Amino acid sequence: MLLLTVAMVGPSRAMDATEAEELKGLSPETRLEQRCDLEAMERIHHDPVKLVPDELVAYAFQEPKINGDKIQSAGAAFRSKGEWYHLSYTCSTSPDHMTVLTFQYAIGQMVPHTEWSQHFLVP
């Protein structure tokens, strides 16, 4: 059962200069994942469910699939207010992986505390 499913397509928020500089220093594949992780946290933060993400693990339950400028993370998780939630997202970016072109996500159930350690989820 999903808490909320949201599909948002369109321009992403502008990054600040510090975020942009940090991303530019990463390998292209890592930059793609990190840029999309930032986008996920920003979109969740503004979601009507009123969650406040402060950490995201794209590979918590399943390795993300990367194909060119697109990443699909069906097994991600994010932390909000001390609890972890399942997350899946699909994100495509510009060729330099700095601009998000499309983004879709679904927030899932809360992750039981008993599963945190085996999925690299910290309190």
Side-chain angles (χ1 to χ4, degrees):
M1 179 174 155
L2 292 177
L3 293 175
L4 177 70
T5 301
V6 177
M8 298 181 82
V9 179
S12 63
R13 73 164 179 92
M15 287 184 293
D16 67 34
T18 302
E19 289 172 327
E21 277 305 309
E22 288 174 0
L23 285 175
K24 287 177 185 176
L26 301 173
S27 70
E29 189 171 287
T30 301
R31 184 181 316 131
L32 172 65
E33 182 179 323
Q34 291 297 309
R35 179 62 186 100
C36 290
D37 287 354
L38 284 170
E39 187 70 16
M41 291 178 66
E42 181 68 19
R43 300 269 180 133
I44 293 165
H45 182 74
H46 288 98
D47 194 283
V49 175
K50 302 292 184 211
L51 297 170
V52 184
D54 64 1
E55 186 72 33
L56 190 144
V57 179
Y59 53 83
F61 293 90
Q62 182 180 338
E63 284 294 320
K65 293 178 175 71
I66 295 174
N67 185 5
D69 301 329
K70 183 176 182 179
I71 184 170
Q72 291 181 285
S73 184
F78 71 94
R79 185 177 61 202
S80 174
K81 301 175 187 172
E83 296 292 340
W84 284 93
Y85 296 85
H86 289 276
L87 174 70
S88 63
Y89 69 82
T90 301
C91 174
S92 65
T93 68
S94 57
D96 67 357
H97 306 309
M98 293 298 289
T99 303
V100 173
L101 302 176
T102 63
F103 191 84
Q104 300 170 345
Y105 70 102
I107 299 170
Q109 293 281 359
M110 190 180 301
V111 178
H113 291 213
T114 56
E115 296 179 17
W116 287 15
S117 63
Q118 65 189 358
H119 295 287
F120 311 103
L121 306 177
V122 296

